[in-house]
Structure formats: structure tokens, C-alpha cells
Amino acid sequence: MRKRLLVMLTAAAVLLVAAVVRMSPVSAVASDPYAFKNVRIDGGGFVPGIVFNPTERNLIYARTDIGGAYRWSQSTKSWTPLLDWVGWDKWGYNGVISLATDPVQTSRVYAAVGMYTNSWDPNNGAILRSTDKGDTWQVTPLPFKLGGNMPGRGMGEALSVDPNDNRVLYFGAPNGNGLWRSTDYGATWSKVTSFPNAGNYAQDPNDPNGYLSHRPGVVWVTFDKRSSTSGSATRTIYVGVADKENTVYRTTDGGATWSRLAGQPTGYIAHKGVLDTVNGYLYIATSDTGGPYDGGKGDVWRYATATGAWTQISPVPSSSSDDYFGYSGLTIDRRNPGTIMVATQISWWPDVIFFRSTDSGATWTRVWDWTSYPDRSFRYTMNISENPWLTFGTNPQPPEVTPKLGWMTESLEIDPFDSNRMMYGTGATIYGTENLTQWDSGGKFTIRPMARGLEETAVLDLISPPSGAPLISGLGDIAGFRHTDLDAVPPMMFTQPTFTSTTSLDYAEKAPSVMVRAGNFTDADRPNDSHVAFSTDGGANWFQGTEPGGVNEGGTVAAAADGSRFVWAPKGVTPVYSVGYGNSWQTASGLPTDAVVESDRVNPMTFYGLSGGRLYRSTNGGATFTATAATGLPTTGKFKAVPGVEGDLWVAGEGGIWHSTNGGASFTKLSGVTKAVNVGFGKAAPGAAYQAVFAVATIDGVTGLYRSDDGGSSWLRINDDEHQWGNMGEALTGDPRVYGRVYLGTNGRGIIYGDRTGPPITVTPTVSVTPTVSVTPTVSVTPTVSPETGCTATYEPGNSWPGGFQANVRIKNTGTSAISGWKVTWTWPGSQQITNLWGGTPTQSGTSVTVTNAGYNGDVGPGATTSFGFNATGTTTQPTATCTPA
């Protein structure tokens, strides 16, 4: 590839950086066309940057810390993702530390990408450049890492296009790498060696993880367009640095020399630097930390560019005892430049505060004011009808309200073409208004979510049961949802209890309305809540169980095939099992701590665990586990059991995919698969007897999303190079009701679902042909024997508690022929009442109880057994139960 030499005016040494165009991988694996969409949640994560193009109306971009970049579509009032082409090999590119839109050639847009500057991200950062508003990109790798999800990521923008000569861009880099410049539209870059300060601030310089020791470095670049004419590089440029004693620098000779801006305030970091070229003011918003989660003191300053005079214009100065926050989210109304706004960085309690001035900061009004504590008055109303989950299911007491106005608001932007439109980012979504100037006239302006199409969640688990809602999700930071409509925002996240993150989900295969979830929250906030919860109505409502001592994180959890019991492996705690809904837990012996647990999808007494390259199996409902003889499995990985086939297991991990048909006693490694992240199952193809298998895996050298309709003998790649979504696959499942549909979890791009768009597929089953042998029959007379039918019911008491108890009833076919249904009856000795039952259909009249089989467990072969279980009120008892074949 040709490299271009770029000689910089101020560069003592020149660094060559290649401009690399994305190349499509080549694979011999066949493909199947799909259409992909997001399962709608709208938002869900931190939006540190919103960037309006200053010369083209409605051209707006948003950057996220782990979910890529987006472009606004005015016609649909929604966001279009721009970085879905980023694959596993460069997953960190979904961390966008800065974004710049070209004010001259507005089709050009740039992004500085890279997620972590410590060891978590194996790759260096890059500058992405596009000439079609982000529809396609070219990549220039950088010789250092960038931190789109590191401390200080809300400051900026560090990437900026010269408004007079748009060939020129500047970029402020972290961790001692200083200031960089390009003069060829971002294709090649060189360090500006004359820039004197790379920034020394770190939240915790001694952090051994290398996260809090990150130095944000050079954090924003602002051009003074007045200092040059069109076609000539801008001469005056202001640059912000994360250095509490030297936070603003300026050049007046196009970057040849730089100096610390005289008289500047000290003690704080300028998160933002915004220039009013009409009135000649540079505004800075400062905080005592880099954010975005913290900030306890700060100020707002105005610098007169003509005289060099600094004026403190803080709405609440740092010297005041009322200042418990820094400042960020600084913006100017470009149509009325004397109007400016700023946000607190950060005031968790009772809420973020926006300040607005119409006289260049001489006086301010607040978006809300104290009246008589704890009451407040508000200049706004909030309408979250499109995203009602933004209340987070809370019911706070005054002075707090729900939903909150926001938090982590580092980006607050007034539309340069419309004084009434403002957008701002929070830790959960983008909010906005279209009647902002009501603030100035004494009315109330309306704030609504403006996040449609922007999906930024880390997906930790997904289940798609055979009945009820098609998808249940477990998410990081916002718990998870029950999705009854994939294209509509669910009304509320999981509550009762509310998990910060749901780490594991499962449902009972034969009783899919029974579900369980495990997750995390801050224990000190809710010491009486449990890290495990149950549902008996398909996830619509939840109740919590008890938990053993020492549990702080959810780990993984599995439900028996009939919903009668559960096995739970909380993180860092010995695994446990419970008969019923977690009223008590017993130690599961033989299963290592932190094993991944799953249930057999047919046999309710069989559970599995994967740990350290060994597969563990329990055949007594989780009480004891024993390692199977299977070896060669990955030390860490994902595994699942196939619905409808007892003992059928698939394991995905480093090295490939393994398949067992004997309950894990032995495994066969699939050929051609060199690495795998996850597997899942969905409805079988027409004509096929075995479920469709989905995998995020590397097959024939290409990492992608795959489907097999023949049990893994052959694979079809079902994503393409434009749909890779970074580090996808932590969660994966097919849909048991819709052939070909797949649900894919990503780390930052939300939940993706895909449907086939190609021609119909029919799988022709393999037929074994047995040779015909002619035999002369021997004639004998066999007496006719009538098959016997019969069944027994054994009532087994379970756990009990004050006012209630649990029991299990086991049915056995005692006849010589199969039965297709059964009925169990008994009579209570007292006032006991069934409250919920799984594995059958109950009716109760007074003390008489009748239970008939469910749809899936009526067929019982000779000598075979099935069961059902229930919870009831009253005192525990053991009546005599009788069984009658149907």
C-alpha cells in the first residue's frame, strides 16, 4: 500500500501513518441473506457527545462510549448506526472518544475510536474518515491506544476540522501523546511537537488496573474562524488540556508556536471550551475531576479574546458552600450568541441542574429552583410516554422525582439553526426539546426522549421461550425487559427486585411460563433484596427468593425442565439448588464455584455445569454433581442443551464447538470451527427433525454469525461484512416459533434480531435403506393378549414456610402400554389451597383436588415417570393421591 510523506511545519520528527481501506474477508462458507433490526429499547447507555454540523441543518451526530456512532434522520426523528461494520478483530472501534463534522464539505465526518487504553483492548486506536456522512469509512490506525470508555470521555471534542481550510484537522490524544494534526482530510497524521503540554491529570495514578490511572490528556480543540479567511488555515486555535494548573493553550500562528493562556483560572480542568465569535468570548466549563461519574467543584469562566480579560461567571461559584458539583455541557445559541447554557458535572442529588443566561453569563436562571424544602419548582415538563421505562421503576420521595432530568450530562447542545431545539446526553439516553425558548418567556418547555434508533446496551443473556413473549433479555446497567413486541419499547424493565445488571436467565422448557433470573446490584443500597428472582407468568411479574450468605453477584442460574427446581451458581459462592422457588437453598456438592450452569431441556432431574474444561452432571436435581470423563473442552465457554432431546449438549469456546449426545459423557469436536463465542437453537428448518443451530464462531477463517440446519454438518454465514457489531455473541438464541429468526446480544449495540430474506429452504432428511431379505415364514399361533394400563401417583412434600408449603407429585405408568394422558386426585385434610402449579392443569372444589396432564407430559411409556409440582397455602400435609390414565 502506498504511503504518503507529510512534512509538518512544526514537527521535528515525522510519523508516517498508513491510510487503510477496509477489505472484505473471503470465506468458502456459503451464506444466507438476512435482514437485521434492533429489538427496540431506545438508549440504555451513556451518550458523551452530540455534534451538530454548523452549516447544514439537521445534520447531527452522536457518539457513545461502547456503542459506536450515529447520524440523525430528521424525516423519521431517529438515529442511524454508522459503525456496525466493525468486527471482532477491531471491536474497540465501537468506543468513540471524539467525533467531528466538516463545516465546509458537510458530507465529510471523522471519528476517533478505541475503547480502552489499558490491556483490555488489544488494539491501538484509529481515526475513521468518511465522505458520505458515515455510510462508508476509511481507517487510519494510530500508534497509540484511545479510550472511548475511559475516564474523561465526556470532555471534548478533541477532534476538530478547521472551518477555513477543511483539509486540516487537529486531534488531542491521551496518555502523554499530545496534540496531532492532519493536512490531508485525516488520511495521515503527525504529532505537533511544538505543543507544550500533554496533560498530567489522572483520577488515580496508582490504579493497578490501568483504568483510573488513564490520563485524558489533550481534550478539546476550538478554532477561531475570524483569524483567517476561507482557504487559509486558521491561525488562532484554543486547546484544552487535562491539567489543573494549565488547562487552556492558544496558538495565533497556525500551530507553529503555543502558549499557556495568560491569567487563566487554576485548580480545575476545562471540560469544554466554546467560542462566541460574534461577541468575542471564549467560555470554559470546569470541574475538579475528569468525570463522567464525579465532579464536586468547578466554575464557568468567560475570556475576552480582544482584551485577554477573564471573568468568573459561575452560576454557583466554587467558593460557595452551595457548590457541590463541577460544570460541563456548555453550549451557545448560535442564533442569539449572548444566550449560553451549562450543566452540572455532576449533581446526582436531587438531579442535574441546567443553567441558562441570555446576557453572556452576567445573570443566570435555573431549570429548577428550590421553593420550600423539599419542594421544587420546574421550568420544564417531561413526557416519556415513548420510553416509559426511564422511570427505572422507582417511586422516589421529594425532593427527588422520576424520571430524573438527567445525569452525566457532558453534552448539551442547542441546534445552531433552531433556538428552540436542544439535545442532551445522559447516562441512559438522549433527551431533547423543541420549544426551549419557553424558558425565557416564563412558560414551561417540554423534554422528551430523542433516542429512537440509538441502542446502546450490553446484552448479557437472552431467552426465547416456546410460548408467551417471544424474547426476554438480561442487560447490563438497565436490568432487562420482557419484549412482547420486538419493534416497540417495553413499558418497564424488570423490577421486584430491580437488578442493576441481569447476568443470567432461564425458563422451564416444559413449563415455559416459569422463569428465573439472577443479577447484580449494590448490596448496601438494598440489604434485604435477593440476587435471584422468579416468575410464573412468563416474565410479566417477578418475586424474589431467599439466598445463601455471601452472595454479591448473580452468576448463572438454571431452571429444571418442569420448573420444579433450580440450580444457582452465584459468583464467588458455592453453587446451590432449591426445590421450588428459592424458599431455601442447599449446597450442590461436587460442582466448582463459578461454574456455568444449565439444565437438561427434557429430564427435570438433570443439570449440567461447565468449569475449567470439565463438564459436570447431576441426575438428582442438582444435589450432587460428578465430572464426566469428557476431556479437551475449553477452560471457559458457553454451553446449552437442545430442547426436546435429552442429554444433547453443545459447548462453544476457545478452540471451536463440541457436541455431545450422551449427556456430556463424551464430546465430538466439530471440524472447520476454530473458535466460538456462543451457540443457540431455534425452530427447525422445514423438513428437518433437528433444531436449527446458531453460532457466533470462526469458520473457514471468518468470524461471523452462522446457522446450521443439519446439526452442525454444514454452516451458512447469515451476517455480512457490514453487520458485525463488534464483540457480539455474549448472548445468543434462536426463536423456537419462527424458523431462521435469531436474537443476538452485543456489547454496546443492543439486541439485534435477524430474519431470513432468501428463498424458502426445505431440508431433505437422510433416509437409511435396508436391503430386502426374503424369508419363508414359520406359521405359529400366538394368543391375543390385551395390554394393561395403569398408573400410580406419589405425593412428595417439599419445603414449607409460615402459611404455605410446596409439594411434588410423581406419576408412574405401571401398565404394559403407553398412556396418552393422566388424572391425579386427592382430598385435603384442611383448608389448603393451591396458589400456582406447574406441569399440569389443576381444579379444586373445596377440599377435593384434580390435576390433569399438561400438553407436553401426557404421553408416558410403560415404566416411565413424569411429575408436576405446586405451591399452596395452609399447613403442609401428605394426602393419598390416586392416578387414572386418560
Side-chain angles (χ1 to χ4, degrees):
M1 180 170 291
R2 183 173 61 91
K3 296 183 179 180
R4 179 180 174 187
L5 181 64
L6 178 65
V7 180
M8 299 301 300
L9 174 65
T10 60
V14 176
L15 175 69
L16 299 182
V17 183
V20 179
V21 182
R22 284 186 291 120
M23 302 299 292
S24 300
V26 178
S27 172
V29 178
S31 63
D32 193 23
Y34 264 65
F36 292 100
K37 297 173 65 177
N38 270 103
V39 177
R40 276 192 70 191
I41 295 171
D42 291 5
F46 179 36
V47 181
I50 302 169
V51 179
F52 283 77
N53 187 284
T55 57
E56 181 177 334
R57 182 186 291 269
N58 296 322
L59 181 54
I60 313 165
Y61 297 92
R63 64 178 174 94
T64 68
D65 49 8
I66 65 170
Y70 293 80
R71 184 184 66 237
W72 178 254
S73 171
Q74 181 63 22
S75 61
T76 59
K77 293 192 174 181
S78 65
W79 298 92
T80 300
L82 302 178
L83 300 184
D84 283 357
W85 55 268
V86 171
W88 254 104
D89 59 333
K90 295 291 191 296
W91 58 263
Y93 285 9
N94 274 320
V96 185
I97 188 61
S98 191
L99 190 147
T101 175
D102 192 322
V104 181
Q105 295 172 288
T106 58
S107 61
R108 293 184 181 271
V109 63
Y110 304 87
V113 298
M115 200 169 294
Y116 298 105
T117 58
N118 60 3
S119 61
W120 301 345
D121 187 340
N123 296 308
N124 285 341
I127 303 294
L128 311 182
R129 62 193 191 280
S130 172
T131 57
D132 53 15
K133 298 181 179 178
D135 289 338
T136 61
W137 297 85
Q138 291 181 302
V139 181
T140 298
L142 294 171
F144 47 81
K145 294 185 177 186
L146 298 182
N149 198 33
M150 298 295 284
R153 59 192 179 273
M155 296 188 282
E157 295 292 320
L159 184 63
S160 190
V161 180
D162 190 325
N164 289 306
D165 182 355
N166 66 319
R167 296 173 301 175
V168 176
L169 292 89
Y170 280 82
F171 172 61
N175 289 327
N177 289 297
L179 183 66
W180 290 68
R181 178 167 55 193
S182 170
T183 61
D184 56 5
Y185 301 104
T188 60
W189 292 79
S190 184
K191 186 175 183 179
V192 181
T193 56
S194 61
F195 191 77
N197 189 351
N200 61 6
Y201 170 80
Q203 184 172 341
D204 179 3
N206 299 314
D207 178 20
N209 293 317
Y211 184 76
L212 297 180
S213 58
H214 169 78
R215 288 173 289 155
V218 182
V219 294
W220 53 263
V221 177
T222 298
F223 290 91
D224 188 344
K225 186 178 180 180
R226 302 171 300 173
S227 64
S228 185
T229 58
S230 179
S232 299
T234 298
R235 297 186 62 78
T236 299
I237 309 167
Y238 297 89
V239 173
V241 178
D243 178 343
K244 291 186 178 183
E245 301 305 310
N246 311 279
T247 196
V248 184
Y249 287 80
R250 180 177 62 183
T251 180
T252 58
D253 52 17
T257 61
W258 299 81
S259 61
R260 178 185 184 274
L261 208 57
Q264 68 182 263
T266 60
Y268 301 108
I269 300 167
H271 278 222
K272 304 288 179 181
V274 180
L275 187 65
D276 170 10
T277 56
V278 174
N279 297 303
Y281 293 131
L282 173 72
Y283 297 96
I284 63 172
T286 72
S287 181
D288 58 350
T289 72
Y293 303 104
D294 53 5
K297 286 285 184 181
D299 282 301
V300 182
W301 289 84
R302 186 181 69 208
Y303 174 75
T305 60
T307 66
W310 287 92
T311 304
Q312 187 187 59
I313 58 170
S314 309
V316 180
S318 60
S319 57
S320 170
S321 60
D322 291 330
D323 180 41
Y324 56 96
F325 44 76
Y327 292 93
S328 191
L330 181 65
T331 188
I332 292 178
D333 183 347
R334 296 296 178 182
R335 302 187 69 81
N336 300 284
T339 296
I340 62 175
M341 292 181 66
V342 72
T344 55
Q345 176 61 41
I346 190 169
S347 54
W348 291 100
W349 183 94
D351 211 340
V352 69
I353 311 170
F354 298 156
F355 301 92
R356 182 173 170 91
S357 172
T358 57
D359 53 14
S360 300
T363 60
W364 299 86
T365 53
R366 297 165 51 122
V367 73
W368 58 262
D369 289 287
W370 293 107
T371 54
S372 177
Y373 185 86
D375 297 325
R376 294 185 286 154
S377 62
F378 303 89
R379 286 186 167 85
Y380 67 93
T381 59
M382 293 196 79
N383 180 351
I384 60 166
S385 56
E386 189 173 359
N387 303 138
W389 64 265
L390 285 165
T391 65
F392 282 71
T394 60
N395 185 26
Q397 298 301 307
E400 293 188 280
V401 297
T402 189
K404 278 183 172 289
L405 181 61
W407 60 95
M408 296 164 60
T409 301
E410 297 252 40
S411 187
L412 184 151
E413 305 293 336
I414 299 173
D415 187 337
F417 293 92
D418 184 355
S419 299
N420 270 309
R421 180 160 69 173
M422 174 187 71
M423 293 183 182
Y424 66 94
T426 73
T429 192
I430 292 178
Y431 282 116
T433 182
E434 293 180 325
N435 63 339
L436 177 61
T437 58
Q438 290 290 319
W439 181 323
D440 304 325
S441 60
K444 287 189 175 183
F445 64 98
T446 301
I447 295 174
R448 291 182 173 87
M450 289 186 176
R452 183 166 187 164
L454 193 155
E455 297 289 346
E456 193 200 3
T457 52
V459 187
L460 305 181
D461 207 356
L462 295 170
I463 55 174
S464 181
S467 61
L471 186 68
I472 312 294
S473 64
L475 305 177
D477 294 335
I478 56 171
F481 294 89
R482 178 177 184 260
H483 303 269
T484 59
D485 182 345
L486 304 177
D487 299 317
V489 178
M492 188 49 57
M493 62 181 63
F494 296 145
T495 59
Q496 299 177 340
T498 299
F499 298 156
T500 303
S501 297
T502 295
T503 58
S504 182
L505 292 163
D506 199 12
Y507 67 92
E509 191 67 46
K510 296 180 178 180
S513 61
V514 176
M515 294 183 177
V516 63
R517 60 184 168 97
N520 305 339
F521 55 85
T522 302
D523 291 59
D525 294 342
R526 305 202 307 273
N528 297 320
D529 279 350
S530 172
H531 292 78
V532 68
F534 304 89
S535 174
T536 57
D537 57 8
N541 297 281
W542 296 84
F543 57 92
Q544 61 181 339
T546 63
E547 65 179 36
V551 176
N552 294 307
E553 296 187 41
T556 59
V557 66
D562 63 357
S564 61
R565 60 185 62 223
F566 303 87
V567 172
W568 183 22
K571 186 173 182 180
V573 175
T574 301
V576 291
Y577 74 98
S578 174
V579 178
Y581 298 113
N583 298 304
S584 63
W585 297 91
Q586 288 79 44
T587 298
S589 65
L591 184 63
T593 298
D594 292 334
V596 177
V597 296
E598 296 283 350
S599 65
D600 192 90
R601 310 314 285 181
V602 176
N603 190 329
M605 298 301 289
T606 300
F607 290 84
Y608 307 98
L610 182 67
S611 177
R614 301 300 302 272
L615 193 284
Y616 296 79
R617 181 174 58 200
S618 170
T619 58
N620 58 0
T624 58
F625 283 79
T626 303
T628 70
T631 59
L633 299 177
T635 55
T636 60
K638 302 280 190 180
F639 80 103
K640 289 174 185 169
V642 178
V645 187
E646 184 173 355
D648 197 319
L649 306 176
W650 292 68
V651 175
E654 193 67 36
I657 295 176
W658 291 258
H659 183 205
S660 173
T661 58
N662 55 11
S666 62
F667 283 85
T668 300
K669 187 177 185 298
L670 272 66
S671 62
V673 185
T674 55
K675 181 179 179 180
V677 178
N678 210 338
V679 293
F681 311 105
K683 185 176 181 179
Y690 196 83
Q691 290 216 336
V693 183
F694 296 92
V696 173
T698 304
I699 301 177
D700 193 28
V702 175
T703 300
L705 177 61
Y706 293 88
R707 188 189 77 242
S708 175
D709 294 326
D710 55 11
S713 296
S714 63
W715 295 90
L716 296 167
R717 187 184 180 204
I718 62 175
N719 73 320
D720 55 42
D721 298 339
E722 298 306 313
H723 300 89
Q724 301 192 71
W725 309 289
N727 49 352
M728 60 177 173
E730 175 69 16
L732 177 69
T733 185
D735 190 311
R737 290 171 270 186
V738 181
Y739 165 62
R741 178 170 290 176
V742 63
Y743 301 103
L744 173 70
T746 71
N747 185 31
R749 269 288 287 120
I751 307 166
I752 307 293
Y753 78 97
D755 286 315
R756 295 189 66 253
T757 58
I761 286 179
T762 300
V763 175
T764 302
T766 301
V767 179
S768 299
V769 179
T770 303
T772 302
V773 179
S774 297
V775 178
T776 301
T778 300
V779 179
S780 61
V781 178
T782 302
T784 301
V785 179
S786 299
E788 296 179 359
T789 60
C791 59
T792 59
T794 304
Y795 186 105
E796 302 169 340
N799 295 325
S800 63
W801 55 92
F805 63 93
Q806 187 177 79
N808 190 68
V809 178
R810 187 163 301 280
I811 297 99
K812 181 176 182 179
N813 183 348
T814 57
T816 59
S817 64
I819 60 176
S820 59
W822 46 262
K823 178 174 69 174
V824 174
T825 60
W826 72 84
T827 301
W828 295 122
S831 58
Q832 293 86 352
Q833 288 283 332
I834 291 176
T835 55
N836 62 291
L837 183 143
W838 52 95
T841 303
T843 58
Q844 182 171 351
S845 177
T847 59
S848 298
V849 179
T850 299
V851 179
T852 56
N853 59 276
Y856 62 84
N857 63 355
D859 294 328
V860 186
T865 62
T866 188
S867 66
F868 64 87
F870 61 87
N871 289 340
T873 60
T875 56
T876 187
T877 183
Q878 190 171 1
T880 300
T882 60
C883 178
T884 305

